[in-house]
Amino acid sequence: MKVFESTRSRGRVLARCFLSSGLAVLAGLCAIQAQAATVDISAVFSPDPNNPHVNTFKNTTPNSGLCSTFPAFCSVRGLYSISLRIEALTQYPILANHANIRDGAMIKVPAEVRSVQVTNASGETAEIGFSITAFSATHRTRSVFDLIDVPAGHPNVANSILWGGLPWGGSAPAPCTRGGAMNSSSIDADYFWLTPMAVPCGKSPVYEIDTLRIRNASVSYLMTTPDPLGMESGIYRGSINYTVGPGGDFDFGDNLAATDNIVTLDFTLSVEHTLKFQFPAGYGSVVLNPAGGWQQWLNNGRRPQKLMADQGFKMWASTRFSVGLQCEYTLSDQCAIKNPAGHEVPVETLLTLPYGLRTAANQPVDRLLLSTSPQVFSPSHYVDNRPAALHFEVARDQVTRMIDEHSGSTYKGNVTVVWNSEV
C-alpha cells in the first residue's frame, strides 16, 4: 500500500475590525492639493492549534489614524483605526447659527453594509460584508480665542462656547453618538463619532468661523469575511470605491471641498491552510490477516471470515480535501490484489477520520468505503494532530475462493491513497 499527499488548500470566518483617524497637527490653512485616496486593509487566516474552533481571520492592517495617535484611548475601547487619507476645506465662511446643515461642518458616511468580492489567482471568489461604523477627525481653525474674541483660557471651554455648549470632541448630534470624549487645543478640535446610519450629522457654531479644515479623517468599520475553512489557500484581492463630496458616500456638505472625490479600499485576505499527515515508520507495507491470525485456521480448520489490516496515522487539516484510490490492479472502482496465477480479488479500502471532518453529505467519516472516484471531506473546525485510520479488507466470499482454489499462493498489489486539497 502507498499513501500520497498533494498539498494545497481552502477555509470560513467572521472578522471584525475598527478603524478611526488620527489627530495630528499640521501648520497652516493653505489650499488643499488633490491626491489619490487609497487605503489598504489586510487580514490573514492561519489555523491555531491552541484555538482549533476559532475559524476567523486576523486583522493585519497597520494601525493608523486615531488609534495610532492615541493608542491608550483605543485600547481600552477595543478600537482599531485606519486613516482615510483625505482632508476637506471650507470654500466660504461658516456663518453663526446657520440654518442649513450643509452650509457648515457636517459628515455623512456609508454606514450600510456593502458586498466586496475578493478573488485569488485561480479565480475562486469570496464575499466580504463591509460597513463604516464610526468617523473621527480633527477640525482645525485659527485660534478659537480669536474666533470668540475672549482672552486665552482653557481650549476645551473656548470650543464649548464656540459651538454653543456642544463641542465636537464632547458631544455628537443624533443619529451620531460620541465614541469617547476628546480634548481640544486652541486650533484643533479632535472627535470620534459612532455613525449607525448614513444620515448627516453636523452642528452650527455660535460665532462665525472664517476657515475650517477637516484633517486626519479616519473611520471604524465592521468587516464580515467568509468561512476560511471553505476557501482555497492563497491570496484573495478586491476593492471597493466610495465617492466623496456633496451627495457622495462620504459627504461633508456643500461648503467643505475634499482633497479627492474617491476613496478606494483595497482588500487582501491571505488564507494559509494546513493539510498534513503523519504515518508511522514502515507504513508502506501492509499484510492482510484473519482476525486472531492464521493459526486458528491452520490448527482448528476454521475458515477465516475475512482478511484485514488497519493502518493508523495522525492528521492536521483546516481545509477541505478529497481522497481517492489509484490501483495497480483495478476491479470496478476498487483496488485488487493478484496471485502469480492471475487470480484477482478486490480489497475494500475504508477510511476513518477524526471528529470535525465530515463528508459532502455532512456525515461523520467512520469506515467509509473509498473508491477510484475521489470523495470530498470538509472540516467544521481545525483538526490538529488527531488520530485517523485506513482499513483494508478482503470479504469472506473472496477468502473462500482464495483458500479453496489457490491455497498456498501469495496475493500482492499496490493500493495508493491520494489526498488532494485542490478540490
Side-chain angles (χ1 to χ4, degrees), residues 360-374:
N362 199 32
Q363 297 298 312
V365 185
D366 183 17
R367 301 184 71 86
L368 179 71
L369 181 64
L370 299 177
S371 71
T372 54
S373 298

Side-chain angles (χ1 to χ4, degrees), residues 88-239:
L89 180 66
T90 51
Q91 303 304 291
Y92 49 85
I94 299 176
L95 299 180
N97 301 308
H98 62 80
N100 187 349
I101 189 175
R102 301 193 62 83
D103 288 334
M106 60 152 275
I107 62 169
K108 180 180 76 71
V109 305
E112 68 281 359
V113 178
R114 301 191 186 184
S115 295
V116 184
Q117 181 174 279
V118 291
T119 308
N120 69 2
S122 64
E124 181 176 341
T125 62
E127 294 291 328
I128 295 173
F130 190 85
S131 62
I132 303 299
T133 60
F135 182 88
S136 65
T138 299
H139 280 183
R140 170 162 287 189
T141 64
R142 63 189 176 94
S143 174
V144 67
F145 301 109
D146 293 337
L147 293 175
I148 65 176
D149 193 23
V150 297
H154 197 288
N156 282 346
V157 175
N159 271 280
S160 180
I161 295 173
L162 175 64
W163 296 99
L166 300 173
W168 284 70
S171 64
C176 297
T177 58
R178 190 187 72 178
M182 305 296 297
N183 290 321
S184 302
S185 71
S186 61
I187 61 173
D188 287 332
D190 307 323
Y191 62 100
F192 177 78
W193 289 358
L194 304 179
T195 54
M197 301 172 62
V199 175
C201 299
K203 299 179 182 182
S204 176
V206 177
Y207 296 84
E208 180 176 310
I209 300 174
D210 52 355
T211 309
L212 182 145
R213 181 195 294 263
I214 296 179
R215 300 186 57 254
N216 305 311
S218 63
V219 292
S220 298
Y221 65 79
L222 180 65
M223 181 171 69
T224 304
T225 61
D227 182 356
L229 300 187
M231 298 171 68
E232 181 181 287
S233 280
I235 298 176
Y236 295 72
R237 291 188 171 90
S239 64

Side-chain angles (χ1 to χ4, degrees), residues 45-56 381-382 384:
F45 170 76
S46 183
D48 181 0
N50 296 319
N51 298 285
H53 290 273
V54 178
N55 304 321
T56 57
H381 62 265
Y382 175 43
D384 179 59

